Amino acid sequence: MEYDFRAIEQRWQANWKATEAYKVTEDASKEKFYVLDMFPYPSGAGLHVGHPLGYIASDVFARYKRHQGFNVLHPMGYDSFGLPAEQYAIQTGQHPAVTTEANVARYREQLDQLGFCYDWSREVRTSDPAYYRWTQWIFAELFESWYDAAADCAKPISALVEMLQSDGLGTAEPACDGDWWKALPEGEYPWDETFDGTLTADLWNACDAVAQSHILMQFRLAYLADSEVNWCPALGTVLANDEVKDGLSERGGHPVVRKRMRQWIMRISAFSQRLIDDLNGLDWTDSIKEAQRNWIGRSEGASVHFGIEGLPEHTIEVFTTRPDTIYGVSFMVLAPEHELVAAITTAEQKQAVTAYQTAAAQKSERERQGAGDHEVSGCFTGGYAVHPLTGKKIPVWIADYVLAGYGTGAIMAVPAGDERDWKFAKVYDLTIPAIFEGVDTDEAVYTEKDIALCSSGEFNGKTPVDAIPLAIAHLEEKGVGTGQINYRLRDAVFSRQRYWGEPFPIYYDGEIPQLIRDEQVTLPPVDAYLPTEDGDPPLARAKKEDWNVTRGDRMEYNTMPGWAGSSWYFLRYMDPHNADAFCDRAKSDYWGQVDRYVGGAEHGTGHLLYSRFWTKFLFDLDLIGFDEPFAKMINQGMILGRSSCVYRIEGTNRFVTFEQRKEHRTQRLHVDISLVRNDVLDLEGFKAWRPEFADAEFVLNEAGEYRCGNEVEKMSKSKFNVENPDDLVERYGADTLRCYEMVLGPLEQAKPWDTQGINGVHGFLRKLTRLYRNADGNVLITNGAPSAEAERALHKTIKKVTEDLDRLSWNTVVSAMMIGVNELTEAGCHERSVLQPLSAVLAPYAPHLAEELWEACGGEGSVVDAPWPKWDAEKLVESEVTYPVQFNGKVRFQLAVAATAAPADVEVAVLADERTAKQLDGRTPKKVIVGPGRIINIVG
RNA sequence: GCGGGUGUGGUGAAAUUGGUAGACACGCUGGAUUUAGGAUCCAGUGCCGCGAGGCGUGUGGGUUCGAGUCCCUCCACCCGCACCA
């Protein structure tokens, strides 16, 4: 066979394995480079052609960097905890570990045949107890830490305790979950009426151990609290905000409702500002950075306290970004769940308010978001607030457009300047005080900040831009408000009512959670993977003897969410077998940040935010030396499937060809793409595909073919459009598939999969084999001097490939190599001095074939270690050339170029005639810089 | 609505700092060859036109000797987020 890719690829893959060609160790004499793929969840379906796209790109880059002499860390592993294996367990009783093991084996097999240069000795799996032991350890560290907002850094809780014992809280500003004293049960406050909310050393020391543990819980970075969570009844678990889309679960699309539950929560909100600020130093796409900023949702404004008529001991606290419009407040709105609603509501309104609250509570998250149209609804409480500046009575309403989860769950409504407030005022006929000079806000809302205020006391005549800081100062002076920055980012719920996840290293004494640090808690076996009859998570089914550790009254039954293990895996690769630490500090100092992180943009919020959070936390504790995980990220686009469709005449088993589909009432059915070639259906194959089509009849087109329709959509089993890499590797080989996936188009762009072009790439590799071997298999390599044309082709290729890889343009590299091989073929090149460097340039894309070429050239060892060749400008020069130059589309003249100069960047005297000078509008250029066949620049 | 991005042949796309637009490949057309194949090789292929020639990078304008590239206008499409006070 001319190009026996199967034999070549098998041979070299075995060779790499035997020589451990891709094993790397720390080496202080070499500069490091860390190339990382987002590790996959090993699903039962195996890889489709979309998966390897990013892996191939990172593999090419890792190999390139290695040729350049970097010590490249390029590992792979599996995000192996997760829902599908658990759901399979619920259906079949098979332990998720067994399912996962089988899926991992399948993934590994598929990855191996593509010839990646992963150092598999560093493989990690999040579900491996030796791995999740350290996920649990990081959780324990978070539990044992608090956030010092004054120092803007996480610190050990022991430091806080010491401080409380000796000085009290003092001026320390711990990020906390509400007011610390609310942690204590009613009637157990160790203080008297002089208590003003200050946590003094005396108070702290007067608390018993239980009270102290309740107080500390308010400050821990991993804390236990009752909170409103996204509950998905169908999945039987809570979900993080980023796992919910449009009120439906991201996985499975099940409805999500809000529910109050006691949960472990991560205090990511304490890191909000740093998570925003540090985006600036990252080389990520603007859209991902912007998505992160959106998600964190910083807004500047003021917190304002409104008094309540008849309830002097309470105030309604609101957050507003427009304190300048405070004189335009004509009503207030509380979220239906707001804690003061019951107290404010009058007897007459009680029934209506309760009815409204009940209706709001019953709405699912999806209904509440209104799916587009936001219908206004609300209910008057009968109560009134007091304007902090004017002392006027302001009616208090409840409405579900005010969200309990954002800000304080209450707003001051300024209908003149806020669209929602304006709409609400119109619907319920509330007054709209005019506060903008010359603007009739009765007709339309005015949200711009460029018109002077009026009827606004001391802000009259000032534009909002100027008035906002004044308003904050004024409110602070009056003691009714403060400037404040608010974030949309909520603390992240960390408990899942699931089996297949990391168990918490936690047990309970009564209600007090206690950490287990001396022993690892591993997942106990259970008899079923469903919640108990009492609604406890599956782990509650485990009997006492099933746990490897039991302490206190009971163990924690929740498990950690999927993002726990994936938030720090990039660190474990650096030191994967360490039994004493999550990662040795010397090793993390050596490997450092991930230099290139390659993965889909769909993980742009959740995963990245959580990883950044954990990295910053570990940095604060001085466990690692950097506070951002991924210095540069590349997001590959999704590869879409191209589905094929047939058209069945309704009520019959007759199928009409694509051209005639509109002449009948037809039903469109997806057909397996393996039965279709160039849009033409294999009729016999189709009949044999499914029993119901066995007696199908066909209406063919003029060419006597059945032509299928097609559609570009996501690859999915149900659409029969999944292209599997195994078949392509079988038919064309891994090198062809690698090159083809890269040549498909720019990496970041989403694109439909189309196998038609693969022949072109395959042909290029076949042509390449002819450079070193003839049809009989005899090696043609000679030691002779290559022709100038051959050398030029080589150096052109090196230059282009190097430059394109440096600017991360993977697709154009393949074209450059094709051109190079075409030119070498034309030049009849078989010389070692050309083909050996060529093999190094090819190695990142077609590593197997490059090894063959390297070997044929008599190269030592493996091409993997070959130094990257340098291109020589002199070799690019053609011996003597006269370049015809077309100028301004009209005038032609000649440029003589010195024989020794490289035309790409040489300055050349123009032999300009008068006509040319005229064209230049009177300017006579002194010099023109030319490239081969074109003017680069005119000087003078 | 807000934010990010993209518009170039029949198709995927090149064109790195403004300098021969469409490289490279798919597809298509024609030819060669052949123990008919989803093989290989050669030639052609942006559009209009027999031709000379003209027109061409979503639209309209601008800067420039020169614009796919820079600036402004509008249009179309894609992707995020979305009652966030």
Side-chain angles (χ1 to χ4, degrees):
Chain A
M1 196 201 266
E2 206 180 11
Y3 169 30
D4 188 357
F5 52 84
R6 218 160 300 164
I8 293 171
E9 290 174 4
Q10 274 170 15
R11 176 172 167 228
W12 287 105
Q13 282 169 16
N15 180 288
W16 294 330
K17 200 170 174 184
T19 59
E20 296 188 319
Y22 301 123
K23 204 175 162 93
V24 290
T25 49
E26 296 73 38
D27 178 352
S29 70
K30 278 181 169 174
E31 202 179 330
K32 70 92 188 184
F33 202 90
Y34 190 175
V35 181
L36 181 65
D37 292 296
M38 287 185 187
F39 65 168
Y41 173 80
S43 85
L47 295 173
H48 64 63
V49 290
H51 287 108
L53 182 70
Y55 304 155
I56 295 169
S58 66
D59 196 69
V60 166
F61 206 75
R63 286 174 180 274
Y64 170 58
K65 282 289 165 185
R66 180 167 170 172
H67 286 296
Q68 285 192 318
F70 289 90
N71 195 21
V72 177
L73 179 58
H74 188 222
M76 183 45 102
Y78 305 97
D79 188 11
S80 50
F81 272 133
L83 278 176
E86 177 155 348
Q87 244 132 19
Y88 190 71
I90 291 169
Q91 286 160 20
T92 64
Q94 174 163 290
H95 195 284
V98 176
T99 313
T100 302
E101 183 65 41
N103 292 349
V104 162
R106 169 98 182 99
Y107 263 61
R108 178 63 190 275
E109 201 181 297
Q110 287 187 296
L111 290 169
D112 276 346
Q113 64 178 4
L114 289 169
F116 292 131
C117 65
Y118 295 124
D119 178 358
W120 282 107
S121 73
R122 294 174 180 266
E123 176 191 318
V124 302
R125 300 178 193 187
T126 55
S127 61
D128 180 353
Y131 178 90
Y132 72 68
R133 170 183 175 181
W134 297 107
T135 310
Q136 293 170 316
W137 182 84
I138 295 172
F139 165 82
E141 289 296 312
L142 284 154
F143 179 80
E144 296 275 52
S145 299
W146 61 294
Y147 199 83
D148 184 345
D152 218 357
C153 126
K155 291 180 174 171
I157 204 100
S158 56
L160 182 65
V161 171
E162 261 172 50
M163 194 165 66
L164 289 170
Q165 280 168 351
S166 53
D167 309 315
L169 202 48
T171 54
E173 296 174 36
C176 65
D177 180 44
D179 298 317
W180 63 270
W181 63 85
K182 287 187 183 158
L184 301 184
E186 199 81 38
E188 289 192 23
Y189 306 138
W191 53 73
D192 52 32
E193 56 282 354
T194 62
F195 172 68
D196 62 353
T198 312
L199 182 49
T200 61
D202 287 346
L203 270 180
W204 170 259
N205 293 323
C207 290
D208 61 15
V210 171
Q212 288 184 344
S213 97
H214 278 301
I215 293 171
L216 284 185
M217 188 59 87
Q218 303 283 302
F219 301 131
R220 295 181 188 276
L221 287 183
Y223 62 98
L224 204 50
D226 284 319
S227 70
E228 288 253 316
V229 295
N230 304 305
W231 172 255
C232 180
L235 294 173
T237 192
V238 303
L239 299 170
N241 286 337
D242 64 281
E243 293 167 319
V244 182
K245 286 214 154 133
D246 300 326
L248 301 174
S249 68
E250 197 176 32
R251 238 173 226 280
H254 304 293
V256 175
V257 295
R258 301 205 61 89
K259 190 173 172 181
R260 229 180 149 68
M261 289 180 80
R262 193 154 184 80
Q263 301 282 320
W264 284 102
I265 298 175
M266 286 284 164
R267 201 181 298 289
I268 188 173
S269 62
F271 292 79
S272 298
Q273 191 58 49
R274 286 165 72 190
L275 288 169
I276 290 178
D277 292 342
D278 295 345
L279 284 171
N280 291 331
L282 299 177
D283 192 351
W284 296 6
T285 62
D286 289 338
S287 76
I288 293 228
K289 288 205 229 180
E290 203 50 42
Q292 296 251 316
R293 285 191 197 100
N294 272 343
W295 196 259
I296 300 165
R298 178 193 154 106
S299 51
E300 286 179 39
S303 146
V304 188
H305 290 266
F306 283 67
I308 307 170
E309 217 179 45
L311 290 172
E313 70 278 18
H314 288 112
T315 59
I316 301 172
E317 188 188 353
V318 300
F319 174 74
T320 176
T321 54
R322 295 293 301 275
D324 56 305
T325 62
I326 192 161
Y327 285 98
V329 174
S330 61
F331 58 102
M332 299 193 76
V333 186
L334 308 186
E337 300 88 350
H338 196 280
E339 55 179 4
L340 290 174
V341 172
I344 292 171
T345 304
T346 58
E348 307 84 72
Q349 289 297 321
K350 190 162 187 76
Q351 210 185 341
V353 166
T354 312
Y356 187 82
Q357 282 178 313
T358 313
Q362 277 169 355
K363 278 191 202 171
S364 74
E365 199 60 10
R366 189 176 168 77
E367 286 165 338
R368 201 161 155 175
Q369 286 181 1
D373 288 323
H374 302 130
E375 277 176 36
V376 178
S377 75
C379 180
F380 181 44
T381 62
Y384 290 86
V386 182
H387 194 288
L389 297 182
T390 65
K392 273 188 197 156
K393 273 174 68 173
I394 306 165
V396 179
W397 288 65
I398 61 171
D400 62 7
Y401 82 86
V402 174
L403 307 173
Y406 183 76
T408 59
I411 60 155
M412 58 176 222
V414 183
D418 183 280
E419 209 157 327
R420 293 148 301 166
D421 298 346
W422 189 86
K423 228 169 159 182
F424 195 80
K426 281 287 170 196
V427 170
Y428 291 101
D429 202 21
L430 298 157
T431 54
I432 303 176
I435 50 166
F436 300 109
E437 245 172 49
V439 179
D440 182 6
T441 43
D442 227 31
E443 288 304 311
V445 66
Y446 192 78
T447 56
E448 302 298 311
K449 293 183 191 167
D450 52 1
I451 286 188
L453 293 155
C454 63
S455 310
S456 292
E458 50 284 329
F459 314 137
N460 281 339
K462 302 235 170 15
T463 61
V465 178
D466 301 329
I468 288 172
L470 287 177
I472 292 171
H474 191 69
L475 291 167
E476 283 177 354
E477 198 180 303
K478 296 253 173 187
V480 291
T482 47
Q484 205 181 58
I485 292 161
N486 220 2
Y487 300 92
R488 196 177 78 102
L489 183 66
R490 316 262 36 105
D491 282 345
V493 178
F494 199 65
S495 298
R496 296 291 183 273
Q497 294 66 45
R498 284 275 150 186
Y499 176 77
W500 193 228
E502 298 88 349
F504 283 82
I506 289 283
Y507 69 94
Y508 289 88
D509 279 332
E511 285 307 301
I512 309 297
Q514 305 284 357
L515 205 52
I516 303 171
R517 299 217 75 165
D518 54 343
E519 251 185 297
Q520 183 185 8
V521 180
T522 54
L523 266 180
V526 291
D527 52 13
Y529 301 96
L530 290 165
T532 64
E533 280 76 36
D534 309 334
D536 281 327
L539 283 192
R541 290 176 176 273
K543 296 180 211 67
K544 196 156 187 179
E545 61 270 24
D546 292 329
W547 289 88
N548 73 324
V549 185
T550 47
R551 305 262 171 97
D553 298 325
R554 69 171 182 91
M555 300 296 285
E556 169 68 59
Y557 296 144
N558 288 302
T559 54
M560 299 185 197
W563 56 265
S566 60
S567 291
W568 72 282
Y569 74 110
F570 69 98
L571 292 168
R572 188 63 178 173
Y573 284 133
M574 300 174 185
D575 194 9
H577 308 295
N578 194 333
D580 302 319
F582 72 101
C583 177
D584 181 68
R585 179 64 195 262
K587 292 189 175 173
S588 65
D589 279 348
Y590 177 74
W591 292 115
Q593 284 177 298
V594 175
D595 295 288
R596 295 284 182 280
Y597 194 37
V598 181
E602 64 272 18
H603 302 105
T605 41
H607 162 61
L608 295 174
L609 212 49
Y610 298 132
S611 292
R612 297 179 63 215
F613 159 41
W614 279 30
T615 302
K616 288 182 189 304
F617 168 69
L618 294 170
F619 172 80
D620 285 355
L621 295 194
D622 201 26
L623 296 166
I624 53 174
F626 45 91
D627 68 348
E628 279 290 339
F630 314 119
K632 182 176 176 73
M633 184 164 53
I634 295 143
N635 303 110
Q636 88 272 18
M638 204 187 310
I639 292 195
L640 302 165
R642 190 167 181 278
S643 318
S644 287
C645 306
V646 292
Y647 302 87
R648 181 166 66 184
I649 300 173
E650 275 182 18
T652 71
N653 214 4
R654 275 172 78 79
F655 294 81
V656 289
T657 185
F658 176 74
E659 294 91 332
Q660 297 169 27
R661 72 192 186 286
K662 288 195 174 143
E663 295 162 24
H664 307 268
R665 290 175 65 87
T666 56
Q667 180 190 9
R668 204 188 66 167
L669 302 170
H670 280 90
V671 56
D672 197 303
I673 49 167
S674 66
L675 301 171
V676 181
R677 187 163 300 281
N678 292 342
D679 287 343
V680 176
L681 183 66
D682 168 5
L683 302 181
E684 291 312 308
F686 180 72
K687 285 184 180 177
W689 183 41
R690 302 233 146 164
E692 68 258 40
F693 301 140
D695 56 351
E697 298 169 52
F698 303 95
V699 179
L700 306 178
N701 63 11
E702 288 162 5
E705 292 170 333
Y706 187 95
R707 185 159 289 271
C708 298
N710 60 69
E711 184 147 348
V712 171
E713 49 197 351
K714 244 184 175 175
M715 279 197 194
S716 121
K717 262 187 189 170
S718 63
K719 289 169 186 147
F720 308 108
N721 62 352
V722 175
E723 289 272 6
N724 175 298
D726 305 27
D727 302 344
L728 294 164
V729 169
E730 178 67 22
R731 276 217 324 254
Y732 298 100
D735 286 340
T736 300
L737 182 63
R738 289 169 63 103
C739 291
Y740 185 58
E741 291 225 8
M742 289 298 95
V743 84
L744 226 44
L747 185 69
E748 313 79 35
Q749 229 163 72
K751 53 221 155 198
W753 178 257
D754 177 5
T755 319
Q756 287 194 322
I758 202 166
N759 278 325
V761 175
H762 191 65
F764 145 67
L765 293 174
R766 197 187 311 110
K767 209 164 183 177
L768 176 62
T769 65
R770 287 187 215 129
L771 289 175
Y772 69 91
R773 244 185 23 192
N774 66 13
D776 305 326
N778 300 320
V779 171
L780 299 170
I781 301 292
T782 71
N783 284 321
S787 66
E789 288 77 33
E791 281 200 306
R792 199 177 313 122
L794 171 70
H795 286 270
K796 217 168 91 183
T797 307
I798 297 170
K799 180 170 189 273
K800 178 76 174 152
V801 170
T802 309
E803 286 173 353
D804 284 355
L805 282 175
D806 285 339
R807 66 186 176 104
L808 304 176
S809 174
W810 281 267
N811 53 326
T812 51
V813 170
V814 182
S815 304
M817 294 191 305
M818 287 185 186
I819 296 168
V821 167
N822 281 340
E823 287 176 355
L824 291 175
T825 304
E826 241 167 75
C829 172
H830 301 296
E831 289 79 22
R832 180 192 318 276
S833 61
V834 168
L835 295 180
Q836 197 162 348
L838 186 73
S839 66
V841 177
L842 287 164
Y845 281 77
H848 311 87
L849 192 51
E851 292 278 23
E852 287 282 304
L853 182 55
W854 178 259
E855 189 187 46
C857 292
E860 296 260 322
S862 167
V863 71
V864 174
D865 297 308
W868 192 254
K870 294 204 174 9
W871 57 276
D872 181 348
E874 299 231 339
K875 303 279 194 215
L876 288 169
V877 178
E878 295 173 43
S879 52
E880 191 165 348
V881 213
T882 307
Y883 292 98
V885 176
Q886 191 173 21
F887 197 78
N888 206 18
K890 284 183 179 114
V891 181
R892 285 175 173 278
F893 58 99
Q894 301 278 306
L895 293 173
V897 181
T900 54
D905 49 3
V906 74
E907 288 183 51
V908 187
V910 176
L911 308 176
D913 57 19
E914 279 174 81
R915 284 168 61 201
T916 310
K918 242 184 224 168
Q919 282 297 325
L920 289 169
D921 198 22
R923 301 187 324 158
T924 308
K926 295 282 176 275
K927 286 171 181 175
V928 175
I929 301 175
V930 299
R934 64 199 178 120
I935 298 177
I936 303 290
N937 200 5
I938 295 177
V939 183

